[in-house]
Every structure is written in structure tokens, then in C-alpha cells.
Amino acid sequence: MRVKVSDTKILILLFQLLVAVVLLLTMLSILYRKEKENTKQTLFQKYGIEHIFKDERDPYDVYGQSAINQHYMHLRAPLPYMQQQPGAGGQIMQQMQYMQQQQQGPPAPNVQQQPEVAKESAAGNDAMVQKSPEFEIVPSAKNVTPHDARLLVYNRVPKCGSTTVLDILNLTARMNQYWYRHSLLYNEMNLTSGQQRMVLTHLGVQNWEIPISYDRHMYYVDFAKEGNSRVAWMNIIRDPVERIISEFYFIRVKSRWDTIESLKKISHRKPPDSWFEMTLDECVPAKHPECYPKLGQYMRMQLTFLCGTDPVCSQVGNRKALQLAKMHVERQYSVVGTLEEFPLTLRVLEAYLPRFFRGVTSLEHSSGNVKKNVGEYKPSVSEETKTILRALLKEDVELYEFVRQRLFLQAEAIAKTER
């Protein structure tokens, strides 16, 4: 059967029209997805906040209010169910400082709580530290958690078990019904006043009907200066030398240079094989700046996260930095635990911050098992190298021992109430 020419033209036109419609719909779909993704990226880049309820996350819902009325938010799911939930941890942290060289609840029974004294005396004590670097600061078991604390800040230190802690915050947020906010920013640690206000604004500090926990790689800041005194702080540190070892080898896994954006931003290409093959036992004796910090050099230390944004906080060997860090630990931090005493740390967190950590010692994490990053590479390091590093990181080591003493005193105070 022969088809007329006019019929053929009509068929061609219909086919072309169909193709045009398909192309138009495809373009509209691409534009919509791009706009949605751009909006999401803008929010993440601007605030560095990720909602814990990932299945309910809406990039247009800046404050996460849409999920607040969800039924499951008001139910306490059984513990086995919660333990099956995917954790919030596993975010890879930026580790390249060296390469750049430079529920509301009552306090623990009979554990003294003096938030007002601590807050009012902090500024004056900071001034005393500045005038006298050797101003004596003694650790105690005082509970400095504000009685009306609605925001818990965990300014996590890299390579100090934060992957496990984030999993715990994920679980306890569901158990104790508080909001958990996880920052997606890993490079902006030294916050300006403007950035501090931006964080507080995004967290909805004017409407803290439900308590919030917020974690981020950031140095300590005094949010009270921004008019927010209902803030509690926590952190976890570890043996400084072991942290340096972990950090040194973390970035020497070649595959990470293909997946970690922060590494790509620092270097457009991978370092030579000789850099990846270098060991810490070779680096330290050679006094390479990556692993051999010199007195007065500016670098990111464990101490810096507890000291704050003052330039001295990043200076190797600065005694003022050490004293400021001790002062903040004693006066501003409800709990600073250690990775080496992790089960004890969880016990103290449960007692001193019950609104957020009630029931944490019943979780499987309380056994002390800390998650390690996938593919972690950490060869043995000689005692000689460790000794050299301890001498170079004298202030970091002293702060670590101060924190351990305070943690043990807090644990003793809790034990006394249980007798």
C-alpha cells in the first residue's frame, strides 16, 4: 500500500513535534534538578548544617521545621530499632594542616553546678591568664552545664573518635528527643563574629523549643558574647602523639586523594610516591616541617580547639594558649573526655549532660569500641620518635593530662552519689 506524499509529511511533522516535546521535558527536568541542587548546596555551603533525618530532609526547609511534627518524633522507638538505624558518622574530615605547615534534666546528684559563677568569671579569668601565663588553673568536678541549656556544641577534634561520637548523638537524639545538627564544613574552623552569629541564627536560637546538638570542626568561641548563655560544650581528645600519628598516616592513603574534596582543593595533583611512602620515623629525624613543629610556629593543634580563636592558640609552645585552653575546659566545658577512657567518658556525659545523653551507657558503644575509618593505614612508630614528639608537643601533652585529671574527678563525684 502506497502512502501519499501529504500523509508522509504529516507523519514527519508529528514525529518532529514528539521529539521536540521530549527534549523540552528533558530540559525542564534538568533545570529543576539543577535549581534544587543549587539551593541545597547554597544552604550547605552557607550554614554547613545537615538534618539528621535524612529521609525527611528538605533543602528548602532551612530550620528543619517540617519534620518537627512528624509522628515518630514524639515516640521513643525501642532500642533495637534505633541500633539498626544508619549512623550519622563516617564523614571524612579534612586532615591537611601539616601540609600547609602552619534533655534538660537535673545535674548529677550532689555534683555541684555553678553556671552563673563560671560564666561571669570567665572573662576576668581570661584576662588574668593573658597577664600571667602561669596563672594556676586546677581541675575540679564542678558541673558547669547551664541549668537551662538548650544547645550542646561538640567542636570535635580531628582523629579523636568523632565518627563513633556522631553515631551516639544520632541514637541519643532519637532516644531523648532533641534535634541533632551535623556540620558539613570541615575547613572553616576559626569562626569570625559574623560566622558565629550566622550559625546561631540558622540553629534558631530565638526559638529553642526543642534542644539542639551541633557538631563541627571548629575552635572554641564564646557564644555568650552573642547573647546566648544557654549553651553547653563538650569534646573528646586523645593522647596528642597518637593523634599526630593517626593524622600523619590518614592522608597517606592514595585512594583518599581521589575522593576527599578537601585534599583536591589543597593540591591539584597527588604528591609523589616518595611522599606517600615516607614514614613518621623518617620524617621526624629529618625535621620535616610537616611532622616537626618548631617553637613559635603556627599550626593547628589539639589544644587549639579548646583554646579558641586567639592567634596564640595556634602557636607552638605558647603557655598562654595552654592556660586559656585549661580555663575554657574548667569553666565552659561540661565534659571533655578522652578516647583512651571512652566508656568512662560516656558515663560522665550521661551524668553531666542528661538531657542529651540519658541512656547512653546502655548502648553498645559504651563497651569502648571506637570506629576506625575504612582503610586506615597506621604502621608502628618507634618509642624514640614518640619521645621527640612528646617534647615538641609539651603543651598539648600537659593539657591532655589536665583533661584526664578532671574526667577522673567527675567520675569520682558520680561514684560518691551512687554509694
Side-chain angles (χ1 to χ4, degrees):
M1 178 178 179
R2 298 183 60 183
V3 181
K4 295 181 180 180
V5 175
S6 58
D7 292 339
T8 302
K9 292 182 177 180
I10 292 175
L11 290 174
I12 293 174
L13 289 172
L14 290 174
F15 177 76
Q16 292 175 338
L17 180 61
L18 179 61
V19 171
V21 170
V22 171
L23 289 175
L24 179 61
L25 292 175
T26 302
M27 292 178 62
L28 290 174
S29 176
I30 292 174
L31 289 174
Y32 171 76
R33 292 179 182 177
K34 186 175 181 180
E35 180 183 358
K36 187 174 182 179
E37 184 63 26
N38 286 340
T39 303
K40 179 178 179 179
Q41 289 177 356
T42 299
L43 291 174
F44 283 1
Q45 291 169 359
K46 185 175 182 180
Y47 301 109
I49 305 282
E50 180 182 29
H51 298 312
I52 182 173
F53 301 107
K54 298 182 179 180
D55 293 337
E56 301 296 330
R57 188 188 303 141
D58 179 359
Y60 293 92
D61 180 12
V62 180
Y63 297 100
Q65 297 302 313
S66 64
I68 207 167
N69 293 321
Q70 295 296 322
H71 182 62
Y72 66 82
M73 275 293 294
H74 303 282
L75 296 178
R76 294 194 179 190
L79 183 60
Y81 165 78
M82 290 187 292
Q83 290 180 338
Q84 294 172 7
Q85 303 304 307
Q91 296 289 345
I92 299 180
M93 302 173 289
Q94 193 268 352
Q95 301 293 329
M96 294 301 294
Q97 174 67 24
Y98 293 127
M99 292 187 65
Q100 294 174 298
Q101 296 182 27
Q102 305 290 3
Q103 179 147 158
Q104 171 155 12
N110 298 326
V111 176
Q112 187 177 7
Q113 183 178 31
Q114 299 179 340
E116 299 304 326
V117 174
K119 297 297 180 182
E120 292 176 2
S121 62
N125 285 326
D126 280 4
M128 294 179 70
V129 169
Q130 291 290 355
K131 292 180 180 179
S132 176
E134 297 305 324
F135 175 69
E136 185 177 7
I137 303 168
V138 181
S140 74
K142 290 179 181 178
N143 188 348
V144 299
T145 305
H147 67 91
D148 57 348
R150 307 297 283 174
L151 172 64
L152 172 64
V153 180
Y154 167 36
N155 62 320
R156 60 188 191 272
V157 181
K159 310 309 299 174
C160 289
S162 59
T163 297
T164 298
V165 179
L166 296 185
D167 280 347
I168 290 174
L169 287 169
N170 190 340
L171 292 170
T172 55
R174 298 174 185 269
M175 292 170 60
N176 298 320
Q177 299 181 9
Y178 66 83
W179 282 102
Y180 166 43
R181 298 289 185 266
H182 170 59
S183 174
L184 298 177
L185 297 178
Y186 301 98
N187 301 322
E188 297 179 11
M189 303 183 188
N190 195 341
L191 303 188
T192 64
S193 296
Q195 290 173 319
Q196 295 173 36
R197 288 192 294 271
M198 182 179 292
V199 169
L200 291 173
T201 298
H202 180 68
L203 291 174
V205 295
Q206 303 302 324
N207 187 32
W208 281 343
E209 295 182 1
I210 295 180
I212 301 172
S213 74
Y214 175 66
D215 71 81
R216 176 174 179 167
H217 286 319
M218 56 178 278
Y219 305 151
Y220 168 80
V221 294
D222 187 2
F223 281 134
K225 292 182 178 179
E226 301 298 331
N228 297 280
S229 60
R230 300 190 298 170
V231 179
W233 289 79
M234 65 156 287
N235 215 322
I236 294 179
I237 63 175
R238 71 187 294 186
D239 181 298
V241 174
E242 293 302 320
R243 195 189 77 85
I244 290 296
I245 295 172
S246 179
E247 190 171 51
F248 181 86
Y249 287 110
F250 178 88
I251 59 176
R252 278 174 166 74
V253 176
K254 287 185 179 181
S255 59
R256 290 190 173 126
W257 287 75
D258 297 323
T259 58
I260 304 179
E261 291 300 323
S262 56
L263 298 183
K264 296 179 182 179
K265 291 179 181 179
I266 291 174
S267 179
H268 296 296
R269 60 180 181 179
K270 289 183 181 179
D273 289 343
S274 59
W275 183 87
F276 285 103
E277 295 167 358
M278 180 175 21
T279 67
L280 198 56
D281 284 332
E282 295 171 339
C283 186
V284 171
K287 297 185 178 182
H288 193 285
E290 180 184 352
C291 58
Y292 197 93
K294 296 181 179 179
L295 189 66
Q297 173 186 334
Y298 287 90
M299 62 175 284
R300 186 190 71 204
M301 299 171 288
Q302 182 166 255
L303 174 153
T304 310
F305 287 81
L306 303 175
C307 176
T309 59
D310 191 302
V312 301
C313 295
S314 300
Q315 191 173 35
V316 176
N318 194 300
R319 300 298 293 181
K320 290 182 180 179
L322 171 62
Q323 297 303 81
L324 281 172
K326 287 182 177 181
M327 179 63 68
H328 293 155
V329 169
E330 176 64 18
R331 300 293 186 183
Q332 308 301 324
Y333 280 82
S334 300
V335 179
V336 178
T338 65
L339 198 60
E340 289 76 12
E341 292 89 16
F342 195 68
L344 183 63
T345 295
L346 294 181
R347 188 183 180 194
V348 174
L349 283 168
E350 184 175 42
Y352 279 70
L353 289 164
R355 180 62 185 88
F356 297 91
F357 288 98
R358 182 176 286 109
V360 69
T361 54
S362 66
L363 300 178
E364 59 181 359
H365 301 78
S366 63
S367 63
N369 295 324
V370 178
K371 285 187 178 180
K372 296 182 179 181
N373 288 292
V374 177
E376 183 168 346
Y377 164 66
K378 192 172 71 172
S380 60
V381 178
S382 69
E383 287 302 319
E384 182 180 357
T385 296
K386 291 182 179 181
T387 299
I388 295 174
L389 288 174
R390 290 190 188 284
L392 295 172
L393 299 170
K394 177 182 176 182
E395 284 69 31
D396 242 4
V397 172
E398 188 173 334
L399 176 63
Y400 172 72
E401 293 302 331
F402 177 91
V403 165
R404 292 185 71 228
Q405 291 179 43
R406 182 173 185 256
L407 183 67
F408 293 145
L409 288 172
Q410 291 176 318
E412 288 176 4
I414 297 170
K416 289 179 181 179
T417 67
E418 297 174 347
R419 292 172 185 169

